[in-house]
Amino acid sequence: MKIKVGPSILACDFANLEAEIKRAKDAGADFLHVDVMDGHFVPNITIGPGVVAAIRKKTDLPIHAHLMIERPEDYIESFAKAGSDIISFHVEALGKTRNTRLKKANNIIKKIKKFNRRPAIALNPATPLAEIKGLLEKLDWVLIMSVNPGFGGQDFIPAVLEKIFELRNIYGGDIEVDGGINDITGKECVRKGANILAAGTYVFRASDMKEAIRRLKDDE
Ligand code: DX5
Ligand code: ZN
């Protein structure tokens, strides 16, 4: 299967954002993974729609806005209008009961599609697949977190490999894995059925970015 790589700009040099985006494109990035954090759903605060719009002007790479925020339904429009191509939101952010979560997820998916963007649902490491089973036929992209969201540079949690495998058995769409991805953990994810890798530290801090991305895509 062809593997796609989305460098997570959280690990880039933000003072030189334009140059960093260009560096990622020249090194073989398939899209940009943009981590949006609100200081509520996760303890950290990062990027908003204004920065996404600024990035949009500087690249033709697809932008994946990974929303690690509460009330994602309130921000779909601004991230879509800012030029995100893929918008992912967390099932854990959608309320206390499973019914509420499913209902909200369905509405958010509809909203993202209305703006002609691709919806994706994201799952924390501890969240079971059962949470999203009722949604899979409406989605062609699932984001499996392999660290607890909030920060770059954390260690990969191997327990998620089983989840990737289980998901691939029931789902033919794109499976992206995010957190602690390097040439070793990335390969394990691909072996279990993932076809998209988000990687921050491993890509942006590599001495040779092109080689780092090549290794992630190499499925030998
Ligand atoms: C974590 C973010 C990840 C993170 C990945 O909350 O969603 O996308 O930037 O960074 P690395 O690859 O350094 O683990
Ligand atoms: Zn992310």
Side-chain angles (χ1 to χ4, degrees), residues 73-91:
E73 63 274 19
D74 292 351
Y75 297 92
I76 300 305
E77 180 166 357
S78 46
F79 280 97
K81 287 187 172 162
S84 319
D85 298 281
I86 302 111
I87 301 177
S88 61
F89 57 97
H90 273 263
V91 66

Side-chain angles (χ1 to χ4, degrees), residues 8 33-35 37 66 68 143 145 176 178 198:
S8 163
H33 182 102
V34 177
D35 287 313
M37 305 187 189
H66 174 197
M68 287 160 276
L143 178 60
M145 292 305 299
E176 178 181 3
D178 181 21

Side-chain angles (χ1 to χ4, degrees), residues 79-145:
F79 280 97
K81 287 187 172 162
S84 319
D85 298 281
I86 302 111
I87 301 177
S88 61
F89 57 97
H90 273 263
V91 66
E92 302 87 1
L94 304 182
K96 286 212 165 57
T97 70
R98 182 168 293 184
N99 256 347
T100 324
R101 289 193 292 272
L102 278 181
K103 220 170 142 194
K104 265 199 189 164
N106 273 313
N107 286 334
I108 295 174
I109 290 168
K110 269 194 217 138
K111 206 165 186 180
I112 296 173
K113 287 182 177 169
K114 201 183 82 194
F115 286 103
N116 278 322
R117 314 298 180 186
R118 271 181 86 180
I121 195 138
L123 263 80
N124 281 343
T127 305
L129 268 190
E131 273 292 326
I132 59 159
K133 277 197 178 142
L135 299 167
L136 289 177
E137 70 257 28
K138 292 168 190 130
L139 291 162
D140 56 9
W141 191 310
V142 174
L143 178 60
I144 301 280
M145 292 305 299

